[in-house]
Amino acid sequence: MIDVEIKERVKEGEKMWAILIDPDKLPLEDITDFILMVNKSTCDFILVGGSLINHGMFNEYVKKIKELTSKKVIIFPGNNLQLSNHADGLLFLSLISGRNPDLLIGQHVKVAQQVKESNVCTMPCGYILVESNKLTSAVYMSESLPIPRDKPDIAAATALAGTLLGLQFLYLDTGSGADGNVQTNIVKAVKEVTEVPLFIGGGICNQQQLESAWKSGADIVVVGTSIEKHYNQMFEFKKDVAWS
Ligand code: 1GP
């Protein structure tokens, strides 16, 4: 199961990265070429999801990706319609940085039975939005306030509360296409108080930012927009680096 695999790899000290695909930005007809490139990249996982998906073909989209790759596919849902039995894992996100009840528990209630009946490995994940230099879709669509960028203590307390409630993964995000990554002091503060696998995303666009996130405590760094704009950029991200 992918949840166990990630926990073991994190325990062994491995640093990983994932490519995020937003089905609204990459049309189904372009997916074959893109995934064939992803297969040659060093990325560990493929995440699929978005804050706003206008077509109703999410399941078909994930199925197609799985047919084209042996990399594990994890759903990173923007809402409860983004579900597919073809994925290896589902980040079952609770937006713990916000106070919007629908994203804390409401959508989960609506989809719980369907998730239980699916074959997908459910990964309970505390999703924490952090302020960046501009308003991102994730912040706007979630109707929630992000954690202020200069408040690592609030981020740490939020992460700790989430793990004490039993969440097994954490995801710190400034949102897709953010102007500014999650600050290193926030990542460090969260990593100091929790041991669960930590995803980081938002505005990562080069190897230096990837390594900086790993160094400050991220276990899995997620890259979406910069690769979506220039597909070849995926080959610039390396894993075999002396980052520690
Ligand atoms: C967004 O963390 C992801 O939720 C990835 O962000 O698209 O900015 O890389 P980018």
Side-chain angles (χ1 to χ4, degrees):
M1 297 290 265
I2 192 163
D3 55 346
V4 175
E5 176 192 327
I6 290 177
K7 287 174 192 171
E8 282 173 359
R9 288 169 73 172
V10 168
K11 210 176 278 177
E12 283 162 15
E14 184 177 347
K15 295 293 177 178
M16 295 163 267
W17 76 284
I19 294 179
L20 171 66
I21 301 175
D22 181 340
D24 240 8
K25 310 258 175 63
L26 185 72
L28 191 59
E29 49 276 20
D30 293 351
I31 198 77
T32 302
D33 290 346
F34 187 81
I35 296 296
L36 295 180
M37 289 176 75
V38 171
N39 289 342
K40 291 184 197 147
S41 78
T42 62
C43 88
D44 296 280
F45 307 108
I46 298 170
L47 264 57
V48 187
S51 312
L52 179 73
I53 294 185
N54 286 318
H55 61 70
M57 296 162 63
F58 190 79
N59 186 45
E60 197 180 326
Y61 201 91
V62 175
K63 181 169 181 267
K64 180 83 181 161
I65 293 173
K66 280 299 290 178
E67 285 166 2
L68 293 163
T69 187
S70 58
K71 293 193 193 269
K72 301 270 172 64
V73 175
I74 303 170
I75 300 173
F76 173 54
N79 61 49
N80 62 13
L81 301 175
Q82 294 171 25
L83 257 185
S84 168
N85 280 343
H86 299 285
D88 297 286
L90 164 71
L91 281 171
F92 203 47
L93 302 172
S94 181
L95 181 63
I96 57 175
S97 57
R99 299 296 177 266
N100 177 345
D102 198 38
L103 298 179
L104 273 166
I105 187 64
Q107 298 229 352
H108 315 66
V109 172
K110 289 177 188 152
V111 83
Q113 191 60 33
Q114 204 181 330
V115 169
K116 189 178 177 213
E117 286 165 9
S118 77
N119 301 321
V120 182
C121 173
T122 308
M123 304 162 67
C125 180
Y127 186 51
I128 299 175
L129 282 171
V130 179
E131 182 190 25
S132 70
N133 297 321
K134 70 170 189 184
L135 183 62
T136 57
S137 301
V139 171
Y140 179 76
M141 295 300 288
S142 68
E143 300 177 55
S144 71
L145 282 174
I147 290 183
R149 71 190 91 180
D150 59 347
K151 299 290 178 196
D153 53 338
I154 297 179
T158 304
L160 182 58
T163 55
L164 290 174
L165 281 166
L167 296 170
Q168 297 173 25
F169 298 84
L170 289 168
Y171 193 136
L172 283 169
D173 200 354
T174 47
S176 201
D179 177 10
N181 317 136
V182 178
Q183 290 82 350
T184 54
N185 59 344
I186 290 210
V187 183
K188 279 182 190 159
V190 166
K191 202 62 189 176
E192 259 170 37
V193 295
T194 60
E195 290 180 351
V196 301
L198 178 59
F199 288 77
I200 301 283
I204 303 280
C205 51
N206 57 47
Q207 178 74 18
Q208 189 259 325
Q209 290 171 341
L210 177 86
E211 288 177 33
S212 165
W214 280 340
K215 268 184 207 153
S216 41
D219 298 301
I220 303 169
V221 178
V222 181
V223 186
T225 307
S226 71
I227 290 175
E228 192 177 277
K229 285 186 182 156
H230 307 286
Y231 292 1
N232 274 321
Q233 201 176 355
M234 69 176 81
F235 301 116
E236 288 170 24
F237 293 97
K238 310 267 184 291
K239 278 194 71 171
D240 53 349
V241 287
W243 57 269
S244 57

